[in-house]
Amino acid sequence: MTSRTIKVLLAEDQSMVREALAALLGLEDDIEVVAQVARGDEVLAAARAHDIDVALMDIEMPGATGIEAAAQLHKELPSVKLVILTTFGRPGYLRSAMESGADAFLVKDAPASQLAQAVRKVLAGERVIDPTLAAAALAEGANPLTDREREVLRAAADGSTNAELAQTLHLSQGTVRNYLSTAIQKLAVRNRAEAVRIAREKGWL
């Protein structure tokens, strides 16, 4: 238990969820929510403006994902502790979050007391990971896709043609075709739509 107030930033695009989390954390004597944002690309500026101790972030937000925002915060403000909260218990998300510098990874339906305790623990230098997700991540194994394959699959998710993907990603059509083909083979699926679906389900995109 810390003897000073822990200053927390909440990043969550759903206002009802964000306000509920703020209210729950506000009941704790040693925790104060000093900033709230609804976009991932607003996290860094808010963290700097409010001199926060802990950033609590959802994964799926406009502007930037919680994992992308965590990586940016970890680089720019390494003293800030990072807690990722998600509705989606996908093993790949956990691995990505840890690689981005996250100190904790919890699902949103965790009890409020557990969330408050996680905030205290990360500030004390501990790492907090949902045990069910940790076990699933170990069983799942590493993401087999390279960064470029993930980039091409993400861009292909909207149904763009190879020519459109090539223009968007500044690659040749042949290179785009090769990346998609390799990703499809690695995921043992029949086409790009299935590759996108499987990679998303596992949290690899």
Side-chain angles (χ1 to χ4, degrees), residues 14 24 31 43 50 59 68 73 92 100 103 127 132 142 152 169 189 205:
Q14 295 182 46
L24 288 168
I31 296 174
V43 169
H50 296 275
I59 285 184
E68 290 166 343
L73 266 183
S100 74
D103 300 284
R127 181 165 274 187
T132 305
V152 174
L169 300 171
V189 294
L205 286 189

Side-chain angles (χ1 to χ4, degrees), residues 34-112:
V34 295
Q36 297 183 40
V37 298
R39 296 176 56 89
D41 52 6
E42 295 174 349
V43 169
L44 181 59
R48 281 186 167 138
H50 296 275
D51 190 27
I52 64 165
D53 300 303
V54 178
L56 203 86
M57 294 178 285
D58 184 26
I59 285 184
E60 298 196 348
M61 293 185 287
T65 68
I67 290 172
E68 290 166 343
Q72 188 180 33
L73 266 183
H74 185 62
K75 179 182 177 184
E76 301 290 337
L77 299 172
S79 65
V80 172
K81 299 298 181 180
L82 308 170
V83 178
I84 300 290
L85 267 183
T86 182
T87 307
F88 308 101
R90 296 171 183 167
Y93 278 164
L94 172 56
R95 195 176 292 272
S96 298
M98 294 300 106
E99 289 172 355
S100 74
D103 300 284
F105 192 93
L106 300 169
V107 289
K108 283 183 183 175
D109 59 4

